[in-house]
Amino acid sequence: MAVTPYYLSLIDDSSAGDPIAAQCLPDLRETDLQLGGCEDPLDEERSMAVPGLIHRYPDRCLVTVTSRCAVYCRHCNRKRRWQQGERDASPAEMEAWTDYVRKRPNVREVLLSGGDPFTIDLEKLDRLLHDFRSIGHVEILRIGTRMPVTMPVGIDDDLASALRRHRPLWISTQFNHPQEITDEAAEACERLLRAGIPIVNQSVLLRGVNDDYDTMRELLYGLERISVKPYYLFQCEPVMGAMHFRVERRKGVEMMDRLWGSVSGLCIPRFVYDLPGGRGKERLDGRARNGDRDESAD
Ligand SMILES: *Cc1c(COP(=O)(O)O)cnc(C)c1O
Ligand code: SF4
């Protein structure tokens, strides 16, 4: 486990089943193998084009820069990576990524993921962004990070001004509960926004954390207030050691339907499920249900 003093301080001691504690403190249910699940539900390890690079959609690819995070989320779908220890990609691995992307002109977006890319050396991160940026057909860079939520002090001026040089660069982060939208988190987001970096949010639907209408609405309103666009709400993957977080799919769909009818469109994320076996993301929200959804998927 790892948790920052800041994130720990968000726990409300007086409440049992605190949503912050649930996300960062180990739970005995994680060791209950009878709950099932698999280590790598998305089959990411097998779908790597070169080590550390996943190219599942034609116009964008994802690289896993490090296995380290500021806080290890108990519901993480890449638990297998950090359970094996904290490791950054080597310069040789990074070079193999840029070589791969350089040879594929249809890749117009590169997504840096992990672990948390903001836990690596700023100089290393800067160089990697620069190397991708210098490939003519790479138009967009995106970084997936939970730092604004779990360690907002890490989003400092040095980081913001380094990122500013690599625009258009988007950040996707992961707020899961309104209790995470603090002044510190808002300030971290503000620092990125002032550097011209838009921020989107990818929540995970988590049992006992955000699986009720009022909490979700408060989260979405709170995000809109700090200028963070709700982008995805993920159905929790069947990850070994995180099965107790899963919410029945129908319940998620019902909650989203209610939100569609009652809150500003700016607040509405797409409710999606990343299909097991690396078959890609499937829409679960209102519109998809009129289409050709694969009912057998879950
Ligand atoms: C989710 C994902 C992306 C990004 O997809 P968007 O729908 O653009 O957010 C890219 N690569 C992989 C492997 C992914 O799982
Ligand atoms: S920040 Fe993301 S990658 Fe890191 S432990 Fe949390 S969910 Fe997993």
Side-chain angles (χ1 to χ4, degrees), residues 69 71-73 75-78 82 114-116 146 174:
C69 297
V71 168
Y72 289 120
C73 312
H75 57 271
C76 178
N77 66 20
R78 295 203 183 118
W82 44 264
D116 196 319
R146 235 196 147 187
Q174 187 196 138

Side-chain angles (χ1 to χ4, degrees), residues 149-260:
V149 184
T150 55
M151 202 177 102
V153 70
I155 311 290
D156 56 19
D157 288 329
D158 287 348
L159 178 62
S161 53
L163 296 177
R164 172 190 277 280
R165 292 195 291 273
H166 302 292
R167 286 180 301 159
L169 185 153
W170 293 63
I171 297 276
S172 79
T173 191
Q174 187 196 138
F175 286 91
N176 289 328
H177 191 276
Q179 220 163 297
E180 294 169 337
I181 302 177
T182 61
D183 291 347
E184 290 90 336
E187 207 175 293
C189 293
E190 181 69 21
R191 196 161 287 139
L192 294 168
L193 292 165
R194 270 203 308 265
I197 298 162
I199 312 170
V200 299
N201 190 67
Q202 307 193 155
S203 295
V204 186
L205 181 61
L206 300 169
R207 181 191 292 271
V209 174
N210 57 17
D211 61 338
D212 68 278
Y213 174 83
D214 290 329
T215 305
M216 185 55 72
R217 190 184 53 179
E218 209 187 313
L219 170 64
L220 300 175
Y221 280 169
L223 290 168
E224 195 187 16
R225 270 199 305 275
I226 63 169
S227 305
V228 173
K229 170 76 184 92
Y231 175 43
Y232 279 139
L233 172 65
F234 280 104
Q235 168 74 335
C236 190
E237 301 294 329
V239 187
M240 191 186 286
M243 295 301 281
H244 55 288
F245 283 112
R246 299 196 87 211
V247 177
E248 209 188 322
R249 169 184 182 139
R250 188 185 316 117
K251 196 175 164 192
V253 170
E254 278 167 13
M255 188 175 76
M256 286 311 296
D257 276 352
R258 235 184 115 190
L259 287 163
W260 264 91

